[in-house]
Every structure is written in C-alpha cells, then in structure tokens.
Amino acid sequence: MGDKLAPFRFAKRVPQQAPMGAAQASNRTDVVPLSYGSPASASFPYDALQQAASDAILTQGHAALQYSGADGPAVVRQWIAERSALRGIHVTPQEVLVTYGSGQAIDFACRAILEPGDHVWVEAPTFFGALNTFRTSEAVLASFPIDEQGLRVDLVEEALEHAVRENLPLPKLLYCIPNYHNPGGISLSVFRRKRLAELALAYDFFILEDDAYSELNFGAAYLPAIYSFAPQRTIYLGTFSKTIAPSIRLGWAIASQDTAVKLGSFFHGSRASAFTQQIIGNLLSSYSLETHIGQLISRYREQRDSMLKALDKHLQGAVEYAVPEGGFFVWLRFKEEVDTGELVKYASGHGVSFIEGQQFYLSPEDGKRYARLSFSYCEAEALELGIVRLAEAYQDYQAAQAAREV
C-alpha cells in the first residue's frame, strides 16, 4: 500500500450542495447580508434571557442540569399547546414534542414516515434546508407551483387523481409552508388549507406543515393551521428561533399522540436540551412574549417597508414582487432574462449578498430569474445600501451580457 489513501466512499445520502450567496460572502465584513434569514440581533431579549439563565443555574440547577431537567420542559410544552389555539390547534402537552429546532423535527418526520424511494411532494419554490433532508432520506421528489394564494392545491389534486388512474405511486408526505412562505413571502388561503387537508385524509398521506413565521404577521389575523382541519394526517412545526433567538435551537412538532410517540423515539433517551428548556420555561413564566412579539412585528414591518421603498427607487421596472404580510423575505422576479446564479457573483463583488433562486427548486432552471432577499437582519440604512449595491451589480451583469452578445 502507498502512503496516499484513496478517497473514501461515503454514503450516497450525504447531501451535495453548492455554496449559496451567504456562504460566498461569509468572510467579508463589508458585505450587506441580504442573504441572512436571521432575526435582528438587536431584537433578542438579552436582559430577560440573562435572568432566566441565572435562575436556571442558581435556583433550579440541581434538577435543571439532570437528564430530565426541572419543571422547564413541562412549562414549555404547556405554553406551546396553549399558544397553538390561536391557529385552531387544540392539543394536550403530550402531543407536543420539543426538538433541537424545527430542522430536527423535519428529520424525525422523514425517519418516521419515509422509506427509500417513497414520494414526497413539495412547493416550488420551497425551503432548501427541507429539500436537503428529503434528498438525504432518499425520497422521490415532485414539486407544485405557488401563486399569490400559496400552493396550487388544484394541481396537487389533479396529480393525485392521475396517480390513482395510472396506478402510480402516491405521496407519503407533502411539505408546505403556509404562512409568509420561505422564500415566496405569501400565505396559503384558508380554502386551500382546508382542501389540502381533505386530500391528505382521502389519499392517506401526511402533511408536514412548517410554520416558522406565523407569529410575525404585519397586521393580518392568525389563519387556521392546516393541522386544525386534519390532525390525524398533519405534523405541525414551530420554532422559537424567529421570536426569541436562533441559537437556543428549540423548535417543536405537534402531532396526534401516537405519531408524537413515533417521532420522539428517535431521541434515543434524553430529549432536546432540558437545561435550555428550563431557561425558556423561566422566560415564558416571567416575561411577556406577547409584548416582545409586538415589538418584533413593528421592527420587521418597518424594515420590510425600507427594503420595498429601496427596491422601487433603485430597481424600478427591473423586478417584481409580492408584498409580504409577515416573515423575513422578499421574493424577487427579474423581468428580463437573468441568471441569478451568475448575478450573485457580481453582487458579492459589489458588497451585497442574496440567495439565488435556483437553491429553492428541484430543477435549478426554474429559479434562474428569482432571488430571495431578507429584510430581517439589517437596519434600514444598511437595507437601502444593499439594494443600491444590488442595482449596481445588476447593471454590471447586464453590461457583461450585452458585451457577450456583440
């Protein structure tokens, strides 16, 4: 044997993903990060978290640092169960599974439901992190477009009917982001929510309802969750990442009790950090999260308006978008033929990052004219500077394209 080892053959399920806009600009401090799907750092409840963490150590430490923790996990599950009633979800704490972020809940749902080769249907576009998990599960993926009312449920219904007629595989799982879609920014209409739930019951598949942004609504009332129409065939996902802080890594899944038991079996003993849950349980017991969420909504509404104003000023006539009524994102469509996978490189050179649309589609070609911009992370002044730089990058991109055609 020689000194040089041959490349090791890792499992095929390891995801292969090209660097995105955020990664391409990650080592530069002068870049305006419109790629970051992150909350504003200034929005975190620092003082309340400091007190909650101090109490978890000084007052509850002997129990909180054990495997099962103190009373924090029970407080957190109770709060989630009660809060979910705003979306028409009426469950007991036993139907709430607290996870390491909603990403772990997606992974657990895939492990519990899917065998290699099972079919998963998704929106087009959809969250790239979920796509990677489905690919890792060795699922067969198909996608359906969204419009201004969300997922085209009529096309889903047609595909289900066609599959039955032609004896083709039906989906075991359908992944949907119903509120302030990532990346689309739109919300699924109530009529479509109800119809999608009816289809899940009729054709016996699960809906994975990813609802990370529903607390951040800019004036609209809470819409009923898909779960409220079909709790037997829906797994509802939520997270504290957008409202408290992402690095606490706490999310949750709500499912019927037998399904929740199956999802929870993948913890193999200890659950999501009992100590972190103790901190959050203390916070929820002593701090008005309702007031905090109201402040977040005010902040992000203003930042959205700043971004839209800058887009209308500096890219007028070049792009179109739906005005998001909540969440973190603006989904841009360039009116001219554009490859945003190339444009993102020009943008990086001008000191601004975004996520190219190809990352959100099964077929990258479908996303070439799209870009996701986040207004949540930056203040108003930085948002306008980022759009100015994006407009300059677009002009340079167009000039380069014109030169190639000569």
Side-chain angles (χ1 to χ4, degrees):
M1 293 180 64
D3 293 333
K4 187 175 182 180
L5 288 173
F8 187 81
R9 188 171 64 186
F10 289 95
K12 293 180 181 179
R13 69 177 68 91
V14 177
Q16 302 295 320
Q17 182 177 334
M20 293 176 290
Q24 292 168 354
S26 61
N27 294 324
R28 292 180 52 185
T29 58
D30 62 333
V31 170
V32 178
L34 303 184
S35 53
Y36 288 0
S38 304
S41 298
S43 72
F44 302 151
Y46 290 101
D47 292 343
L49 277 172
Q50 181 183 30
Q51 185 62 54
S54 178
D55 288 345
I57 284 286
L58 298 177
T59 305
Q60 300 137 328
H62 285 88
L65 291 168
Q66 286 288 356
Y67 284 112
S68 59
D71 63 345
V75 171
V76 170
R77 289 197 306 274
Q78 183 67 40
W79 185 92
I80 292 168
E82 292 175 358
R83 186 76 180 177
S84 298
L86 292 173
R87 299 161 189 83
I89 300 174
H90 302 284
V91 293
T92 66
Q94 288 69 40
E95 294 163 289
V96 176
L97 182 74
V98 178
T99 59
Y100 286 106
S102 57
Q104 187 183 56
I106 295 173
D107 178 54
F108 282 5
C110 289
R111 292 199 215 181
I113 293 171
L114 301 176
E115 303 284 359
D118 282 340
H119 286 238
V120 174
W121 290 3
V122 301
E123 297 161 309
T126 193
F127 173 47
F128 49 76
L131 286 180
N132 284 337
T133 303
F134 301 142
R135 288 170 176 141
T136 301
S137 300
E138 301 179 68
V140 177
L141 297 173
S143 62
F144 297 83
I146 63 173
D147 61 17
E148 66 279 359
Q149 295 185 58
L151 174 66
R152 287 285 306 276
V153 175
D154 59 323
L155 298 182
V156 172
E157 184 169 6
E158 289 177 11
L160 290 167
E161 292 170 348
H162 175 75
V164 170
R165 283 197 307 269
E166 302 297 325
N167 197 29
L168 298 173
L170 289 166
K172 287 190 76 177
L173 190 67
L174 185 146
Y175 175 72
C176 182
I177 308 171
N179 293 309
Y180 319 123
H181 187 273
N182 177 10
I186 48 80
S187 293
L188 187 64
S189 70
V190 175
F191 172 80
R192 292 187 186 182
R193 292 170 194 237
K194 186 174 182 180
R195 186 58 187 149
L196 186 60
E198 292 169 347
L199 294 173
L201 294 172
Y203 290 91
D204 197 28
F205 61 86
F206 263 92
I207 297 167
L208 191 57
E209 181 179 9
D210 192 349
D211 201 14
Y213 301 96
S214 66
E215 292 285 6
L216 304 177
N217 61 78
F218 304 154
Y222 290 109
L223 296 178
I226 302 170
Y227 184 99
S228 69
F229 300 115
Q232 312 95 311
R233 285 293 177 268
T234 307
I235 299 171
Y236 175 92
L237 309 181
T239 180
F240 289 114
S241 293
K242 316 305 184 219
T243 54
I244 297 180
S247 71
I248 63 172
R249 304 313 305 141
L250 283 186
W252 63 87
I254 293 176
S256 61
Q257 195 159 351
D258 59 336
T259 302
V261 168
K262 289 180 173 61
L263 297 178
S265 67
F266 295 105
F267 276 119
H268 302 298
S270 59
R271 302 291 174 127
S273 173
F275 182 66
T276 302
Q277 289 188 64
Q278 184 65 52
I279 295 171
I280 299 307
N282 290 347
L283 181 77
L284 296 173
S285 299
S286 61
Y287 180 74
S288 174
L289 200 63
E290 189 74 47
T291 300
H292 177 68
I293 289 171
Q295 293 168 347
L296 294 179
I297 289 171
S298 178
R299 168 187 286 272
Y300 293 137
R301 185 194 295 115
E302 291 178 6
Q303 291 176 199
R304 175 205 62 179
D305 292 346
S306 295
M307 174 174 278
L308 298 185
K309 182 179 178 181
L311 285 169
D312 292 343
K313 180 179 179 181
H314 301 291
L315 279 167
Q316 186 177 31
V319 298
E320 55 190 11
Y321 56 84
V323 176
E325 294 301 325
F328 281 1
F329 306 114
V330 174
W331 184 233
L332 286 189
R333 180 182 181 274
F334 285 85
K335 295 181 179 180
E336 301 293 334
E337 288 293 334
V338 172
D339 182 350
T340 54
E342 289 296 316
L343 178 60
V344 76
K345 301 172 186 175
Y346 285 83
S348 181
H350 278 267
V352 62
S353 67
F354 65 87
I355 302 293
E356 58 272 29
Q358 292 95 317
Q359 300 290 344
F360 300 91
Y361 287 90
L362 296 182
S363 172
E365 285 294 314
D366 293 339
K368 290 180 73 171
R369 292 172 69 171
Y370 292 89
R372 192 195 77 177
L373 308 183
S374 172
F375 54 80
S376 59
Y377 186 74
C378 297
E379 301 285 350
E381 184 176 347
L383 288 170
E384 177 159 19
L385 176 60
I387 299 303
V388 167
R389 291 177 176 182
L390 178 59
E392 293 170 349
Y394 179 57
Q395 291 171 0
D396 286 356
Y397 171 86
Q398 284 186 308
Q401 293 297 107
R404 292 175 190 167
E405 295 171 1
V406 173

